Amino acid sequence: MTSTDRTTIASISTPPGAGGIGIVRISGPHALALLKKVFRPAAHHCPYESHRVYYGMIVNPTTARPLDEVLAVYMRGPRSYTREDVVEISGHGGYLVLQSILELLLACGAELAQPGEFTKRAFLNGRIDLTQAEAVIDILSARTKKGVDLALEQMSGALYRSVESIRQQLVQIKALLEVALDFPEEDVEIVDRDTLLTTLRTEVFIPLRRLIDSGNQGRIIREGATVVIVGRPNVGKSSLLNTLLQQERALVTPLPGTTRDTIEEYLDLNGLPIRLIDTAGIRENADEIEQLGIRRAHESINRADLVLFLIDGSRELSEEDRHLFRTVDRKPLLVVINKSDLPQALQVRDESVMLARAIAISARHHNGLDVLRQQLFERLTGGKEQWQEEGCAPNLRQKVALEHAEQSLLRFRQGIENEVEHDLVTVDLSEALNQLGEIVGETTSDDVLDRIFNQFCLGK
Ligand code: GDP
Ligand code: ZN
């Protein structure tokens, strides 16, 4: 499908199942003609005005059989979702009724829309760029309120603008280099190397890195985070899990090693969904059943976005604590000292590395939990909601393209630094421009486009 594709497409745009109302959407040059064929307005209207709601019946023109009582809107392009002529028919929500309206439209010459085809047309017709189209998917699939906020920012073009401003810098640099190429015999230096390198650093590399780094936070905000509680038996892992959930779901017991397997629960942290995993006490001399739990615990730790490392403050640090700490100290870590309600036996100053910035809590008496929640949130979302200031966090596809662009630009910079011939270094520059173009949809191949729009549901 291309932007010159002149077919008229139709689809049910509301989800299957019964609802108060359901919408059939039509887009393309024959949208209005199709409406006129099947719609009998209650009052005589001719011609239809754009963006006005008309009340009437859908009637099969050949059998004269009425199908539904509806509201119809005609939106003349380009003031529409796709920039084409669009008609929306709101009928009663039953799926069979909507299906029969759709079938009537298909019989009258409309084509059944592919998943995401309305949004694809909006993109191909230049109403939105590719990041905005992808934001539509994010809105539809967002599982968190923050995810919706992020998608809305992206839909307003935040990521597009960030990528475009980097691209514009590169286009200018490229133009300069080309001018320099055209006048090789000139003595004056058209491109000042130091200025160029400074511009590259401040206007290109730094913003590019920020975008790439915000990708991981973007994923957490969209999909939620996995947090694993690790600590030797009896430090209070299950108690902490329970306290955080404010309900008794994991087994709490005074006997060490009872939580043999991992337990998962979900927690809402300021709108951020957290999968909280309580690991089995990972011990060196464990029986067979425990070994299984230990293996699972290690798997959980590998997948974790953050590890909550729990220590019992009423005891001195044991070899087991230290051993466990070494298994997780490469992960993003929050060290938590539990049982602050008991006399403290921990020698904090002897363990400065491990216990620096540790949070003291009492899972039993609910002390220090607000600080814990706040630290958890900040660690997972990157401090003071950096993504919110930037207004964008690239998804995986976009992040990969940004990383490729960064690679090309590093080669480009090296070429400039080593005074490689201009026509050679511009190859790397062009490559970076292409890679950035892929993000906004300027240089994106058809199969990538297909893959993106196939993620949509029907009718969107
Ligand atoms: P786990 O083996 O790490 O999961 O530890 P549990 O949550 O099963 O707790 C082990 C024991 O420590 C239980 O008897 C809990 O009641 C107790 N415990 C847990 N948290 C606290 C706390 O904050 N203060 C005190 N005094 N006891 C606690
Ligand atoms: Zn436990």
Side-chain angles (χ1 to χ4, degrees):
M1 193 186 78
T2 66
S3 48
T4 53
D5 195 331
R6 303 310 286 161
T7 58
T8 299
I9 51 173
S11 160
I12 299 172
S13 283
T14 39
I21 58 163
I23 295 174
V24 175
R25 181 150 63 175
I26 313 167
S27 178
H30 305 302
L32 185 59
L34 280 164
L35 178 69
K36 285 178 177 165
K37 252 190 209 169
V38 302
F39 182 60
R40 298 285 161 270
H44 187 70
H45 294 291
C46 195
Y48 284 88
E49 271 176 55
S50 185
H51 293 82
R52 273 199 58 175
V53 180
Y54 294 94
Y55 166 73
M57 296 294 290
I58 296 292
V59 177
N60 185 323
T62 41
T63 63
R65 193 171 85 92
L67 297 182
D68 196 11
E69 184 187 28
V70 301
L71 293 175
V73 188
Y74 161 57
M75 287 162 275
R76 186 165 36 238
R79 282 184 57 215
S80 71
Y81 186 69
T82 57
R83 276 204 174 159
E84 302 172 335
D85 284 358
V86 167
V87 164
E88 283 183 11
I89 300 171
S90 308
H92 291 106
Y95 200 69
L96 279 180
V97 175
L98 295 174
Q99 191 66 38
S100 65
I101 296 175
L102 177 62
E103 276 166 15
L104 178 60
L105 289 168
L106 298 181
C108 291
E111 282 183 26
L112 185 63
Q114 301 295 308
E117 194 169 357
F118 292 97
T119 309
K120 191 174 186 180
R121 286 188 173 200
F123 163 67
L124 291 172
N125 292 328
R127 195 181 71 79
I128 56 175
D129 81 291
L130 199 52
T131 66
Q132 291 170 305
E134 288 179 291
V136 175
I137 307 179
D138 289 342
I139 284 204
L140 297 179
S141 59
R143 282 197 272 153
T144 70
K145 265 203 293 207
K146 295 231 174 276
V148 173
D149 292 347
L150 191 61
L152 281 171
E153 282 287 344
Q154 191 149 319
M155 211 149 83
S156 76
L159 180 60
Y160 173 78
R161 285 190 297 275
S162 299
V163 173
E164 266 309 292
S165 90
I166 297 173
R167 246 161 61 93
Q168 286 319 312
Q169 287 293 339
L170 296 179
V171 167
Q172 268 177 28
I173 292 172
K174 193 163 174 240
L176 269 179
L177 289 175
E178 275 160 5
V179 171
L181 267 179
D182 288 343
F183 302 97
E185 69 286 347
E186 296 287 302
D187 262 351
V188 277
E189 230 191 332
I190 296 175
V191 185
D192 176 59
R193 217 158 51 104
D194 290 341
T195 315
L196 176 59
L197 288 173
T198 309
T199 311
L200 263 182
R201 191 171 58 82
T202 57
E203 308 294 322
V204 177
F205 279 105
I206 291 176
L208 199 55
R209 235 316 108 186
R210 279 170 81 115
L211 278 180
I212 294 170
D213 288 342
S214 58
N216 198 37
Q217 282 152 25
R219 179 185 58 77
I220 286 176
I221 290 158
R222 286 188 192 97
E223 297 166 15
T226 301
V227 173
V228 177
I229 310 177
V230 177
R232 65 174 170 73
N234 245 7
V235 293
K237 296 183 295 300
S238 309
S239 307
L240 175 60
L241 181 84
N242 284 337
T243 306
L244 284 175
L245 289 166
Q246 300 293 352
Q247 57 195 46
E248 303 283 315
R249 264 196 246 164
L251 191 64
V252 183
T253 155
L255 298 174
T258 312
T259 308
R260 281 198 161 146
D261 219 327
T262 55
I263 293 176
E264 286 187 24
E265 293 290 351
Y266 287 83
L267 176 81
D268 187 311
L269 194 72
N270 301 338
L272 194 69
I274 308 275
R275 184 161 66 127
L276 201 58
I277 301 177
D278 175 7
T279 57
I282 307 177
R283 304 203 275 172
E284 278 161 278
N285 307 311
D287 66 30
E288 238 173 276
I289 304 170
E290 273 187 326
Q291 290 289 359
L292 185 73
I294 291 168
R295 201 162 346 118
R296 275 199 211 148
H298 280 296
E299 281 165 20
S300 309
I301 291 168
N302 284 337
R303 278 184 290 133
D305 295 301
L306 185 77
V307 170
L308 275 187
F309 188 72
L310 206 57
I311 309 169
D312 181 344
S314 69
R315 311 211 161 206
E316 286 185 26
L317 216 58
S318 68
E319 229 357 89
E320 200 176 359
D321 287 315
R322 291 198 184 84
H323 168 75
L324 263 182
F325 186 75
R326 282 193 293 275
T327 67
V328 295
D329 67 351
R330 294 213 179 143
K331 296 291 293 187
L333 200 65
L334 208 57
V335 178
V336 180
I337 303 172
N338 190 29
K339 310 196 187 180
S340 64
D341 54 297
L342 297 177
Q344 298 296 287
L346 257 189
Q347 299 298 320
V348 173
R349 65 195 146 71
D350 298 339
E351 309 285 345
S352 51
V353 181
M354 182 168 162
L355 300 182
R357 287 182 298 151
I359 307 165
I361 64 155
S362 166
R364 183 185 278 175
H365 295 278
H366 299 201
N367 295 331
L369 289 173
D370 285 345
V371 177
L372 176 59
R373 282 175 207 271
Q374 188 197 328
Q375 291 255 351
L376 251 181
F377 187 81
E378 283 184 9
R379 288 296 299 274
L380 289 168
T381 57
K384 28 189 234 49
E385 309 202 355
Q386 186 198 353
W387 60 273
Q388 221 167 36
E389 289 166 36
E390 312 262 313
C392 46
N395 64 25
L396 192 59
R397 178 192 83 82
Q398 295 157 347
K399 188 172 161 232
V400 168
L402 289 167
E403 282 167 343
H404 286 163
E406 192 185 41
Q407 291 302 318
S408 307
L409 286 166
L410 286 170
R411 282 196 301 275
F412 170 69
R413 185 173 67 185
Q414 213 169 28
I416 294 291
E417 280 166 350
N418 298 336
E419 303 193 40
V420 174
E421 291 295 316
H422 283 168
D423 50 345
L424 290 178
V425 292
T426 46
V427 173
D428 292 319
L429 190 55
S430 305
E431 220 168 270
L433 276 167
N434 271 337
Q435 283 144 347
L436 292 178
E438 273 176 31
I439 296 172
V440 297
E442 217 151 274
T443 53
T444 319
S445 66
D446 281 350
D447 47 322
V448 172
L449 288 183
D450 284 344
R451 222 175 310 137
I452 289 169
F453 287 101
N454 280 340
Q455 296 172 53
F456 280 80
C457 43
L458 272 170
K460 195 66 200 176

